[in-house]
Amino acid sequence: MNALYFEDFTVGRRFESPSFAITEAEILEWARRYDPQPFHLDAETAARTPYGGLIASGLHTLTLTFKLFLDTGALGAASLGSPGLDEIRWLLPVRPGDTLRVVVEVAAARPSSSKPDRGIATLRYEMRNQHGQTVLTMTGHQLLRRRPSG
């Protein structure tokens, strides 16, 4: 992908990530380190929960969503970080063996009024599983460099 800058994040533009198959080992390792709840750590215990089996932490799913977007290359040249996320929703559990991909659409973009070298894009994220079901949605705000002149 060519280097993208703020000017390239036009309303309606979409980015689609490569697919990623999540493994039980990844779910367990992440949960052990960051979210050690029984339904993320033990298949037998998880089978007796409302989830009916092992599931990935929602926070794991959230970070994976952003990683998959980074894998598109869209932010490679221009990212200046983010002032935050809004409206994070976990709609379906992510399970071992799921194949996930992320679709991101630019919902809004505006140049900074105080810093002329940058702008901010509002991005709507959807993570989908192998069945096309949406498992996570969120809105992110991305600070982006403007295209260098010359």
Side-chain angles (χ1 to χ4, degrees):
M1 178 178 290
N2 293 331
L4 299 179
Y5 292 91
F6 167 74
E7 292 80 4
D8 300 306
F9 286 76
T10 54
V11 172
R13 183 165 187 177
R14 291 168 51 100
F15 302 91
E16 225 175 290
S17 79
S19 294
F20 175 81
I22 193 164
T23 67
E24 181 173 331
E26 289 168 310
I27 290 171
L28 294 172
E29 181 178 339
W30 204 97
R32 275 189 214 101
R33 294 184 72 181
Y34 304 112
D35 192 356
Q37 297 185 73
F39 40 84
H40 302 318
L41 289 172
D42 181 84
E44 275 186 39
T45 302
R48 295 188 301 273
T49 70
Y51 306 110
L54 194 69
I55 62 170
S57 166
L59 296 173
H60 185 184
T61 305
L62 175 70
T63 58
L64 183 55
T65 298
F66 189 65
K67 166 67 166 83
L68 289 175
F69 179 48
L70 287 176
D71 288 349
T72 69
L75 298 180
S79 177
L80 294 170
S82 171
L85 301 169
D86 294 318
E87 303 167 2
I88 300 165
R89 299 291 179 265
W90 292 280
L91 304 172
L92 291 171
V94 170
R95 300 181 184 280
D98 278 352
T99 299
L100 306 165
R101 66 186 173 87
V102 172
V103 177
V104 177
E105 184 171 336
V106 179
R110 66 173 174 76
S112 171
S113 55
S114 61
K115 296 182 174 131
D117 67 331
R118 66 194 66 176
I120 188 165
T122 300
L123 305 174
R124 295 221 173 92
Y125 292 76
E126 282 190 13
M127 177 181 267
R128 298 177 185 162
N129 65 19
Q130 67 274 16
H131 305 295
Q133 299 167 307
T134 301
V135 300
L136 176 145
T137 61
M138 69 177 173
T139 300
H141 306 283
Q142 189 67 46
L143 299 172
L144 298 162
R145 286 185 185 93
R146 296 193 74 171
R147 180 168 277 105
S149 57

